[in-house]
Structures are given as C-alpha cells and as structure tokens.
Amino acid sequence: MAYAALSSLMHTLQQLLQSKSPLICTGNTSIQQHVESLYQDLCDLQVFLENTTIEVKDIEDVKVLEEKIKDVVYKAEDRIDSSLRSIILLDNGDNDREMACKAFNEELQQVEKEVCFLKQEVMVIKFNKHIGFSKLPESTTFPSSRKSTIEEKTVVGMKDDLNSILNCINAQTKELIVISVVGMGGIGKTTLASKVFDDSMIRSQFDKHAWVTISQDYNKRQMLLEVVSSITGINQENMSNDKLLDTVYKGLKGRRFLVVIDDLWRTEALDLMRRIFPNDHNKSRIILTTRLKTVADYASSPDFPPHDMSFLSLDDSWNLFTERLFKKDPCPPQLEVIGKHIIQQCQGLPLSIVVIAGLLGNIGRTQDNWKKIEENLNSFFGKASEKCQAILSLSYNCLPQYLKACFLYIGSFPEDMEIHVSKLISSWIAEHFIKARSNTRLEVVAEEYLQELTDRSLILVRGRRANGRIKICKIHDLLRQMCIREAQIENVVHFTNNDISDGINDHRRVIIPYLIQDYFRDHPNHRNGKITTRSLIFLGRQSYEVTGIYYWPYSISDFKLLKVLDAHEIGFDFSRIIPQLVHLRYVDARVNDPSSLAKLFNLQSIIIYSQKKNVQLPTEIWTMSEIERVDITDVDMPNPPIGEQPLFMNNLHTLAVKSSAVVLKILRSIPNLNKLKINDVRRTEWYAFLDCLIVLQGLVTLNIQAAASLNSPFFLSRDIFLPNLTKLSLNSTFFPWEDMAVLAKLPNLEVLKADNAFWGTDWKLDEDVVFPKLNCLAVRHGNLERWEATSDNFPMLEELYLSWLHFLEEIPESIGEIMTLKSIEIRGCNSAVITSAKQIRENQEIYGNYEFQLRFVRY
C-alpha cells in the first residue's frame, strides 16, 4: 500500500537527519543533502495520496499511479535499508565502512532520481485534474428511487429495531425529527427503513413521501431529481438546480412529510436537505441510514440519538434463512442441524444469511450436499464473501488513506479472535501506520484511528475499559475475508496457514497464527533470493514450544531487513539472531543475553524476558533516541552515563521494570513518562520511590507491585500529587485502610485496583473523603470485615468488583444509592455479600436503573 510504504521510508530518513544519528556517515554532507531532498519528495507524494480519496479517488490513472508509487517506494526502501545495514555492522574508522558509505550515497542518488521521476508523473495527474476533471460529472440519468440490492424487504428479527423507529415516528414532539439508523453494510438498515416507509398505516399519517438514495458518490442534482420525482411524480430533468430546490420546498411547505435518506456518507447532503425541507412543526419525519456514526451523530438531536442496528440472534438468523430458501415450506428435519451450523457462521449479518440462502438454493437440497458444504465452510464462505463484496467494499474504498492499512491489518488476525487494543495499537505504531501529530502521543492518535473505524461500522467493540475506551475489538468474518483479499493484493500483510505452499520472500508482513514449526523447514523458498519481509508476528499461547523448535528459528536471521519481531509466544532464545536484525524497531521475544541489542539503533519498543538471572540491557541503550517503550520486568537497567541527559530519556513514555537503585535514579530523569509499572518495590526503596513521583507529573497509569508483607507493610505518609493520573493498580502494599484518604486526593483518578493492597478489618470513609471521578473500584484479597461508606464518597462510581474478601460482612447499603452505578461483580465472597448485592440491585431498579448488572462468579 503506497501510503504505508511512504510512511515507513520517511521514518527511516527522519532518523538519518537527526544530528546525533549513529546510522549516518559522519562528515558526509552530500548524503544529508540527498536525504533531505528525497524526504521532501516523499512528503509531496504522501500529501497527494491524502488528497486522492476526496478529489480524484475514482480516476483509474490515479489507482495505477498508487500501485506504481508503492512498488517504487518498496524497492527504494529495500535498497536503502540494505546499504544502511552494511554500514551499521561495520565499526567507525574501518575502511570497509567508508566504502559502504560511498555505496550508500550512490544508492541514495539513484533512489532520489526514481522518486523524482515518479513525482513528475504525479504533477501530470494533478495538472490534468485541474483542467479536465476538477469534479466528477453530474449524471443526468434519472436513477431508480429505491436501491436494488441483496437487501430486500424480508424483515425477520428486527422487532426491537422496528419498534425503536416507530417510537420516534409517533413521538409527540411537533418538531421535524431526523431518525438516524447506523450500522455496518449488510446489516439491514435499508430493509428496516423500507419496512417503515412502505407500511400503509405509517404512510397514511403523512401527506408527502420521498425516498432518496445518496450512496458514496454524492451528486447534488441527482439527489434533487429523486426528491422532486417522489414529491411530484414527474421527472423534471430540464429544471435548473435552483428551480428544483424551489419545487421541493414549495411542494412540502405546509404538508406533513416522511422522507427516507438512504445510504448517506457525507454531511453536505444533509445540510442541503435541511435547507429545503421546511420545519412547519407538524410532526414531519426524516429517516436516515448510514454506516458512519459521525454522520448519524451530526444528523441526530440529543432527544433522538442514533439507533444502532444489532445483529440477528441465531433463532432469527435461522428464520430469515428458511424464509428465503424454503419460502413458506418448513426446512426438512434432516437438514436442520447442518443448516443451523452453516448459518451460525454468518454471525447474525442479514446480508450474509441472504447470500448463503441463495447459494444453497442452487444445489440439491439433500443431506449429502449440505454435508459437503459443512465440511468445506471456508471455501463456501469465500464464495459468499465474493457475492457480498460490492456492498462491503464501499466501506473500505471510502476510507481515507491513513486508515486503509490499519483496517487491513486487523483482518490478518485469526478468525473470531478477540483483539486486545493495546496490542493492536502497539503493532500499528511499530509498522508506522500512525502519522505523527505535534504535541500528541502516537497512542492517542492510534486510538482516534480505532474509534474512527468503529464509527464507520467496520470494527465491532467487544469490551471497554472502565474509562469507556475500547479494550477489546473484533471484525466480522465477511469483512475479514475482504481484508485478507485486499491485504494480499496490496502486500500490506500476509496471513499464513498450514495450506500455504509458497515462500514469503516478497510478503511485507507475515502473521503466523498457530503452530506451524515446519513452515521454515518445509518451505525453503524464503532462502531463494533476497528476502524483503519486514514483520514476523507469531500469535498463539505458547503453542510453539514443541519438539523441533530449537532449529528453525535460526532461519529468521535470513530476514535481514526485518523491522518487527513479535515472537513472545515462541519461548526460543533469540540472542544469537538479534544482532543480525539491525533494523528492528519492535522486538517482543525471549532474549537471554540482552547485550545482543547493542547495535539496534532503530529500536522503539523493547519487550523482552530472560531465563537467566542478573542480566541487563547494554549501555548503548542510552544512545538510542527512538525508544518509546521498555518492558523488562526480569532484566536490569544499566547505569546511565554521567553528565549529559541520555537520548534514551527523550521519547520514553511507557516503562515496566523491576525496582532497583538504578531504576529509582532513572525515574527522576523521565518527566515525560506516561505509563509506569514497577515490580518488587522493597520497603527500603519505598520512600525513595515516592520522591520520584514528584517528578513524574505526566503519569496517567501507575502499577505498583510491592514486596511488602504483613510484618512490614507500606504507608502513604504524605500526599501524592499526580494531577494526570487516571488509573492506579496496587498489589501487595498492605497499606492501612486510612491511607485511602490520600488516594482520594488524586483529582483525576478514574480506576483503582487494589489486590492485597490494604489490610485491616475495618474500612470507614469519613464524609470529607471523596473520590470525585472514580468510576471503577476493584478490591481483591484481604481481611476486611466491615466497610462503612456513603454514596457521597463515590459520586461517579459505575463499576464495583469485590473478589476473595471472605470475611466481608456486607456491601454498604448506600452504595446502592449511587445514581451512576452500572454493575457489581462478586467473586469468591461469602453469602452475606451476595445478599447485600441483591438488595442494591433492588434499590437500583427502584431508581429506574433496569440496566444495572449483578454478576456472581463461582469457583
């Protein structure tokens, strides 16, 4: 993909332009000049691609050019990285290094010429755009007023959706209401709107009815022609746009109307509609369908928020399937079990169910035929995906350039896998899919990307954090099939499996989802010729630790241009391989000898563990200016250099380490730290650690794993001023409960997790102890018996988790008076706690909170 390819190469050049970069040949001004020139040309190309989605996205010449940009930039990056590798592996002062620098300069000049020529082609496209097609021609062909798609009027399992829309239609307010229906392609938005629009009882309430389909290519004139035709029943193609606007307004003025705006992608069309649809306070209604939550939010009012379409249940899915396939006849009993198993794979998406019914309708309805389908579901659903492609691909094609690679990357995760967002975002950043923005951390930008994909109905949210941010996400199988297909075409990411028969030389990113330890042995093609793979990612749960694993990972050393190695699950020691992979930006693996990282000057994320004791990172770590994340809870940090501030400190925002005197010294020098996890904090280090917190004013997340005991508990003897802290996790600190008053003074604390963090039989909260923003409280283990609190102590609490508090007598009754409370989870507590929790549920229902959830987890 051209945009992602440009981002990766531009980052490499940015590193070379740094004044203290160890990658560049010192004293060679010619190299720096060529790097600067090449970087600027790449910036211009990236700006061009960012504009193509809006200005010239449908022009075939541009698509061809995008493919060419990708190919040229990929090859350029390979040549530059190969030359840089030769330089990095040689020592300063070595004659061979001087020759390598000369060769790099020559490669750089050649790449610069090729990119310059490419830029000239872009200029021609831009010139032609201005003189030939500054905007797409407006069609004067009058379209059908209703979409002809696979989505037809069969309405099954949409009772709740239908009632929600009818409630808005029949609302007592006389204002003109926009009723927004939002959901992914194929979920039944148009079907639902059609059901309402065609209902005779509904239609009789309105004087005028109009249906207009906007679709992805918004065309003002085409839209006006549709509305006028619906209102007047006459095709008015000879009218000017101004006359059409006037006709619509006059035709609706003083009349009660129902208008459906189907498949809206842009807010400009809605703005025009609002100008021509009069609000005469006569209960007129507009139903709007869209895949984009941002559009739905823009259209809706607070009193009538967007309606999110839900997936069908298995029973409703089956009913829709049988109605489409068998009409009014029942499904033959011998086909029911197999049929339900097939339909279960549709995951409640009506479009998929209708397509499957159509495909099965073309084969004999015998048990043997359906059994063959069941045994080859992947192939069968591949055909179904192709049938749905026209509808689903619209959502992908209209994505801005910066989101396309991110979306395709999600599709590379195994089928039905729940994806942890923290892992996904780390991967996006490592792959340089996230465009840097001044004064904003990449993680924040990445979360915005994820939210945008969610708002476009492309990503399913499967879990949220206590602060509302997405924790776990998933992708529908049909969209995943589309992602895999597009990702292989664009060479964004390659998803391997046991059936693969080719090498991976040219695959830019490779994800290996489960145990295929024979892959490197049985498919030696990757050794034939130059390997350009940049990412190797192993997914699984220690499933790679089997006989034979101790020889094949050495093949990874052949991947000399590798930038991402995510091999945490393998359990293999990569110490002998790592030194050859000098371009690594992200490493998550077992490394028994961390000194092997010494020449990896591109590193941004270090996530390693070692099975050896008393090992530490190399001292070269202090010269690595790119490092943003370090997770080494069983590896020691080296002593920092004396004198100037190490480059290591400049960008570091996430740190997970084992406590030591060296670590405490380092913490005083990382004012930009955002997340900190510190393990094995001993009593002798505790107050020195508290002193460090004075410097860490930017901390948002803090996790303390202490080494305290009942005989040597910790104390919070003074206030902690961390104004930005939102999440605090404490383990084995054994504070007295009185110290909770200190934590209540953290002004922005939203999540507090305490595991053996407090000790004592009584926890009494005075009325002046208030956690103003705390929305999640989790207390695990301890000897707590009596807890006294009021709703005023936790005015914003939403979630309460109590685990293994065997002696706790009850939950304070006043907790049930908290108006924001959403759920309580009880795990391993006595029956008295369960009884008090049930009483709280009753109180919440009295207050009208029928959505309150009470969960009991037993072991």
Side-chain angles (χ1 to χ4, degrees), residues 28 101 186 290 338 376 430 568 590 614 621 635 694 734 800 856:
N28 195 323
C101 286
T290 182
I338 301 173
N376 297 277
H568 188 92
R590 173 185 157 202
N614 302 319
I621 190 78
V635 175
I694 298 173
F734 295 100
L800 175 64
F856 303 114

Side-chain angles (χ1 to χ4, degrees), residues 167-178 206 254-257 277-286 301 303-304:
N167 287 339
C168 295
I169 293 283
N170 297 320
Q172 291 304 305
T173 179
K174 294 183 178 181
E175 291 286 329
L176 173 63
I177 298 174
V178 178
F206 297 91
R255 295 172 174 84
R256 187 180 181 191
F257 58 84
F277 290 163
N279 182 7
D280 291 322
H281 303 279
N282 58 3
K283 295 188 177 182
S284 291
R285 303 291 186 253
I286 297 173
S301 65
D303 292 334
F304 297 93

Side-chain angles (χ1 to χ4, degrees), residues 630-648:
V630 174
D631 189 337
I632 51 164
T633 50
D634 55 2
V635 175
D636 295 330
M637 291 290 293
N639 272 304
I642 299 174
E644 63 178 304
Q645 174 84 346
L647 293 175
F648 172 83

Side-chain angles (χ1 to χ4, degrees), residues 4-5 161 229 306 324 329 379 413 415 434 464 490-491 533 606 710 738 777 794 796 799 807 843:
D161 297 301
S229 177
R324 292 306 301 262
D329 297 328
S379 173
F413 284 84
E415 185 177 354
I434 309 301
R464 291 188 180 272
E490 296 284 353
N491 197 7
T533 301
I606 302 175
L710 292 176
E738 290 77 11
L777 174 64
F794 305 101
M796 302 300 292
E799 301 175 10
F807 307 106
N843 291 343

